[in-house]
């Protein structure tokens, strides 16, 4: 699949940085993609890790239909299913039930979506519905580049490590205790730290806020090492910062990226509402 | 109840909205669903995150629920309660089945066009399949409308095949995929049975081809001639115009009428990815040959 020349006349691709992210120009995602376009989009997604589609206006059903063209829809965790009319669309919002800003922006720590699952999310599709006047960026770290920048002995060492990912732990870290139903719904999983991407065959560091510790090691030591790696991974050179525009829809590859929401706006005053769909990934092996 | 029924294919297969299968259902509420079932043959209910108990309760509205077929050679611990057929690639501990696991090899025949339980004397009226876990790609299910296929046959062909009797055997369909490890006990427990080739459906008065991978021969015909006709009918009924491919989402529940459809599973990476579906199977009232004899005065003989 790698290095395959993509031929599709239906859209243009414009690279946004030297290391990742590209804008896809010329598609209305309300319409189903024909097979060559779909393949070309998927290849562009593998090559660029983040695809940006501008000026889209999809209903929840249309976003579900767009998402499903690339694989199997993933159900969200118990609390994120909410009362939404679609259990596959998670409404990411800083508003309370009455539509007032709560002052809390979630997902501000580095993570890869649902890494605590045995088969973590392959891709996330996030569609901006209501944006603050400015800020509320999403920041991405390229975990291929992070891995590739390591020295050979370090790589050889990390290639042997497995990491325990626990939603329970990551919620405790932000001060929330899960109910038994929530823990049963999302028990911890173990994944290789230097995960081989199933489509590209490249290795990427797989960690983030659900990563608890190294399997077989102490929690304290594991946490410290994960935090040190995260510091390495989130250097400016490995980052892409997405400054949202009304109508943006992003599709990104969770298998080789970390991301976080930046609360760089007045969270207590301005609403920020996004619709999120996820595609199911494969077990990491 | 106020349900919405939206056809998703040309001749059959409809999506039903406005139903919550986790809530108790009344006979009256079920009447609308049953009418849609007879009209469309396959019904899809989305976002139904039900447990086994709720699935059995809904299934019982369609008729008596079969105890899932137990194969004598299966020494393994079953994963599910007795009414549930386990359509998955995992064992009772949740681990993926290994490459040469008998359950995996046996399930391979689900890739062939079939309809459920025609190899039993009293076959299945309908099956209900609930999607609990869906692999990241592949594993779709194709359905074929054998009622529309029957309608599309030339009149001469219809006359020729109406009234033929077919022998069905589980051993036959499994042999086709190279599974021949039926013990003598299993063979004796599931001997070949007879079914009509063309079924008349009492509720609508319509006719449908009643064919499946389990169909091994036509009574009174040579094996070769019988198999040639059965193959021809399966090929005819599975042309794209009669087929709908379903892309599963978790929470989907599909009920299909086994008497007027066939289905088959599409491949996925079953050594690496999980696919977990739970099936309940509802029994028909009686054997299809016996039913036809009762319903067709000419076959009853004098007085």
């Amino acid at each position: 699949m790698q290095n395959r020349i993509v031929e599709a006349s239906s859209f243009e691709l414009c690279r946004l940085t030297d290391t990742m992210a590209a804008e896809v120009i010329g598609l209305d995602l309300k319409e189903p993609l024909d097979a060559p376009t779909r393949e070309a989009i998927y290849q562009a997604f593998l090559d660029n890790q983040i695809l940006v589609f501008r000026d889209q206006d999809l209903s929840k059903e249309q976003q579900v239909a767009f998402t499903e063209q690339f694989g199997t829809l993933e159900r969200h965790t118990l609390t994120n299913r909410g009362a939404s009319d679609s259990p596959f669309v998670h409404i990411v919002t800083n508003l309370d039930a009455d539509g007032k800003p709560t002052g809390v922006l979630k997902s501000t720590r580095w993570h890869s979506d649902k890494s605590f699952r045995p088969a973590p999310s392959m891709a996330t599709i996030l569609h901006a519905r209501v944006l603050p006047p400015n800020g509320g960026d999403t920041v991405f770290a390229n975990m291929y580049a992070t891995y590739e920048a390591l020295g050979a002995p370090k790589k050889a060492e990390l290639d042997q490590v497995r990491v325990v990912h626990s939603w329970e732990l990551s919620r405790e870290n932000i001060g929330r205790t899960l109910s038994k139903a929530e823990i049963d719904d999302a028990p911890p999983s173990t994944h290789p730290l230097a995960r081989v991407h199933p489509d590209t065959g490249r290795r990427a560091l797989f960690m983030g806020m659900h990563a608890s510790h190294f399997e077989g090691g102490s929690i304290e030591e594991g946490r410290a090492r994960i935090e040190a790696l995260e510091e390495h991974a989130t250097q400016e050179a490995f980052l892409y910062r997405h400054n949202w525009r009304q109508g943006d829809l992003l599709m990104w590859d969770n298998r080789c990226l970390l991301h976080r929401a930046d609360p760089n706006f007045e969270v207590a005053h301005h609403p920020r509402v996004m619709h999120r769909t996820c595609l199911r990934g494969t077990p990491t092996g | 109840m106020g349900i919405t029924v939206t056809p998703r294919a040309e001749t059959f297969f409809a999506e039903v909205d406005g139903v919550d299968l986790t809530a108790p259902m009344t006979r009256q509420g079920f009447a609308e669903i049953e009418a849609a079932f007879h009209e469309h043959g396959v019904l899809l209910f989305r976002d139904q995150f039900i447990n086994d108990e709720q699935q059995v309760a809904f299934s019982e509205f369609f008729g008596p629920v079969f105890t899932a077929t137990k194969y004598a050679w299966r020494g393994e611990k079953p994963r599910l309660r007795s009414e549930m057929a386990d359509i998955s690639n995992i064992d009772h501990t949740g681990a993926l089945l290994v490459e040469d696991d008998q359950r995996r090899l046996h399930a391979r025949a689900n890739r062939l066009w079939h309809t459920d339980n025609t190899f039993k004397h009293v076959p299945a009226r309908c099956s209900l399949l609930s999607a609990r876990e869906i692999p990241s790609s592949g594993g779709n299910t194709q359905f074929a409308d054998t009622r529309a296929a029957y309608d599309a046959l030339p009149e001469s062909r219809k006359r020729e095949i109406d009234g033929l009797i077919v022998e069905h055997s589980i051993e036959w369909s499994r042999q086709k995929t190279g599974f021949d490890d039926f013990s003598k006990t299993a063979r004796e427990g599931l001997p070949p049975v007879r079914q009509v080739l063309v079924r008349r459906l009492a509720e609508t008065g319509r006719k449908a081809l009643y064919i499946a991978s389990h169909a091994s021969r036509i009574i009174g015909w040579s094996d070769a001639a019988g198999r040639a006709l059965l193959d021809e009918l399966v090929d005819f009924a599975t042309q794209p115009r009669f087929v709908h491919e379903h892309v599963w989402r978790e929470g989907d529940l599909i009920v299909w009428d086994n008497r007027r459809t066939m289905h088959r599973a599409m491949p996925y990476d079953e050594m690496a990815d999980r696919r977990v579906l739970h099936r309940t199977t509802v029994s028909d009232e009686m054997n299809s040959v016996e039913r036809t004899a009762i319903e067709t005065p000419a076959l009853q003989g004098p007085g």
Side-chain angles (χ1 to χ4, degrees):
Chain A
M1 240 171 181
Q2 241 177 320
N3 303 323
R4 198 164 53 84
I5 293 166
V6 175
E7 282 182 34
S9 50
S10 49
F11 65 88
E12 278 178 64
L13 208 58
C14 174
R15 200 64 192 248
L16 294 175
T17 73
D18 289 342
T19 51
M20 63 181 142
E23 188 175 328
V24 179
I25 302 161
L27 291 179
D28 177 1
L29 303 184
K30 283 181 182 165
E31 303 297 326
L33 307 173
D34 58 36
T37 305
R38 190 178 63 233
E39 264 183 53
I41 290 287
Y42 192 74
Q43 188 60 44
F45 162 79
L46 293 179
D47 294 342
N48 298 283
Q49 297 88 49
I50 305 162
L51 296 182
V52 179
F53 302 85
R54 305 279 191 192
D55 306 316
Q56 303 295 325
D57 181 19
L58 304 190
S59 66
K60 284 187 226 162
E61 292 70 28
Q62 287 164 336
Q63 184 173 338
V64 161
F66 168 75
T67 305
E68 200 165 33
Q69 295 178 100
F70 296 98
T72 300
L73 285 164
E74 185 172 65
R75 217 174 153 204
H76 299 291
T77 50
L78 270 181
T79 39
N80 288 346
R81 283 169 212 161
S84 167
D85 40 11
S86 169
F88 298 99
V89 181
H90 169 209
I91 298 169
V92 179
T93 176
N94 65 333
L95 303 180
D96 62 19
D98 302 322
K100 300 255 175 358
T102 56
V104 177
L105 187 71
K106 291 178 183 162
S107 305
T108 55
R109 294 183 185 214
W110 291 106
H111 65 286
S112 176
D113 282 352
K114 281 175 271 196
S115 70
F116 48 82
R117 296 282 193 204
S121 298
M122 168 188 124
T124 298
I125 286 91
L126 195 61
H127 188 18
R129 304 312 289 157
V130 183
L131 291 173
N134 49 55
D137 301 341
T138 302
V139 192
F140 296 88
N142 187 327
M143 304 307 278
Y144 284 140
T146 301
Y147 176 79
E148 283 155 13
L150 298 170
K154 191 74 177 170
K155 282 183 189 161
E157 183 204 335
L158 297 185
D159 286 355
Q160 307 306 315
V161 171
R162 294 182 65 81
V163 176
V164 178
H165 290 246
S166 159
W167 192 47
E168 185 181 3
L169 174 113
S170 76
R171 294 305 90 177
E172 274 172 15
N173 287 342
I174 58 168
R176 191 160 88 75
T177 305
L178 296 188
S179 69
K180 187 176 179 303
E182 286 176 311
I183 295 169
D184 290 348
D185 183 56
S189 298
T190 305
H191 303 296
L193 175 59
R195 181 185 179 189
V196 177
H197 191 292
D199 288 331
T200 64
R202 293 169 70 188
R203 279 190 194 265
L205 289 183
F206 191 66
M207 39 195 244
M209 69 170 170
H210 309 305
S212 164
H213 57 280
F214 290 3
E215 191 176 55
S218 83
I219 293 192
E220 293 73 21
E221 191 208 340
R223 290 285 338 142
R225 296 192 62 184
I226 287 166
E227 278 162 25
L229 281 170
E230 191 172 291
E231 201 163 308
H232 161 70
T234 54
Q235 302 171 57
E236 205 54 39
F238 302 136
L239 301 187
Y240 167 71
R241 171 175 290 270
H242 187 72
N243 181 231
W244 291 90
R245 290 190 213 158
Q246 204 58 248
D248 279 358
L249 181 143
L250 260 60
M251 172 174 177
W252 72 78
D253 192 338
N254 282 307
R255 300 166 295 186
C256 53
L257 297 171
L258 291 181
H259 66 277
R260 67 182 193 94
D262 192 340
N264 58 343
F265 68 105
E266 284 183 82
V267 178
H269 294 285
H270 297 299
R272 180 181 183 270
V273 182
M274 323 285 249
H275 287 177
R276 182 171 78 125
T277 45
C278 289
L279 283 166
R280 213 189 128 139
T282 46
T284 53
Chain B
M1 184 158 51
I3 65 169
T4 317
V5 180
T6 315
R8 294 286 179 226
E10 285 297 308
T11 60
F12 73 141
F13 200 105
E15 182 173 335
V16 180
D17 289 307
V19 179
D20 177 4
L21 298 180
T22 64
M25 183 166 300
T26 61
R27 258 291 145 201
Q28 206 179 354
F30 181 71
E32 278 183 74
I33 293 173
E34 193 173 27
F37 171 77
H38 291 310
E39 185 179 345
H40 299 283
V42 186
L43 300 180
L44 164 65
F45 302 81
R46 295 222 115 135
D47 306 334
Q48 305 293 338
F49 301 97
I50 53 174
N51 59 32
D52 291 351
E53 200 173 318
Q54 289 160 339
Q55 183 171 345
V56 169
F58 180 55
S59 302
E60 280 173 341
F61 277 91
F62 289 91
V65 173
F66 272 115
T67 298
T69 310
K70 290 284 173 286
Y71 298 100
W73 43 265
R74 285 191 178 178
E76 313 89 358
K77 236 180 171 160
R79 204 172 61 82
L80 304 173
R81 57 192 271 178
S82 64
E83 297 96 329
M84 312 303 292
D86 183 2
I87 313 296
S88 79
N89 62 334
I90 60 173
D91 68 16
H92 68 281
T93 68
L96 290 179
L97 297 179
V98 296
E99 183 137 28
D100 58 353
D101 191 291
Q102 297 293 294
R103 287 164 286 191
R104 234 174 55 73
L105 301 177
H106 188 255
R108 199 176 282 164
N110 290 333
R111 302 263 186 86
L112 305 176
W113 283 110
H114 67 287
T115 187
D116 294 335
N117 285 12
T118 59
F119 54 83
K120 292 186 176 177
H121 180 68
V122 176
R125 174 183 168 87
C126 62
S127 299
L128 297 92
L129 194 53
S130 161
R132 309 296 172 92
E133 281 184 68
I134 296 301
S136 56
S137 63
N140 296 345
T141 300
Q142 289 186 337
F143 293 91
D145 184 351
T146 62
R147 189 177 86 175
Y150 177 82
D151 288 345
L153 285 172
E155 290 306 316
S156 57
R157 201 58 163 160
K158 288 182 187 167
R159 277 195 300 277
E160 192 183 355
I161 65 170
D162 270 353
L164 291 179
I165 307 288
V166 178
E167 189 174 278
H168 290 249
S169 141
I170 180 82
E171 212 183 337
W172 173 249
S173 59
R174 266 47 187 174
Q175 272 172 11
K176 288 184 190 174
T177 52
F179 183 89
D180 53 7
D181 197 17
F182 276 95
S183 66
K184 190 165 171 291
T185 334
R187 211 170 289 149
E188 282 165 2
L190 292 163
V193 301
R194 291 179 176 198
Q195 308 289 356
V196 293
L197 178 57
V198 176
R199 285 199 71 153
R200 186 184 161 277
L201 304 170
E203 299 85 2
T204 54
R206 303 274 298 270
K207 286 181 174 176
L209 291 172
Y210 195 49
I211 44 182
S213 56
H214 316 303
S216 57
R217 62 193 191 93
I218 292 175
I219 304 299
W221 289 34
S222 73
D223 285 1
R227 273 163 209 165
L229 175 62
L230 291 166
D231 286 347
E232 177 205 312
L233 292 174
V234 170
D235 287 349
F236 182 82
T238 55
Q239 298 172 76
R241 59 180 164 144
F242 303 126
V243 171
H244 177 72
E245 181 159 332
H246 178 65
V247 180
W248 290 95
R249 291 182 196 164
E250 252 181 81
D252 283 352
L253 180 123
I254 292 189
V255 52
W256 64 83
D257 190 337
N258 280 304
R259 306 166 306 170
R260 58 159 288 198
T261 59
M262 283 192 289
H263 59 277
R264 66 171 176 178
M266 304 304 282
Y268 67 101
D269 187 358
E270 58 184 40
M271 293 312 297
D273 217 343
R274 291 156 65 95
R275 184 174 186 266
V276 181
L277 298 102
H278 293 188
R279 193 187 84 196
T280 38
T281 317
V282 172
S283 177
D284 218 340
E285 288 97 345
M286 64 177 84
N287 173 270
S288 65
V289 177
E290 290 170 5
R291 173 193 274 277
T292 307
I294 291 168
E295 289 177 353
T296 313
L299 294 181
Q300 286 178 1

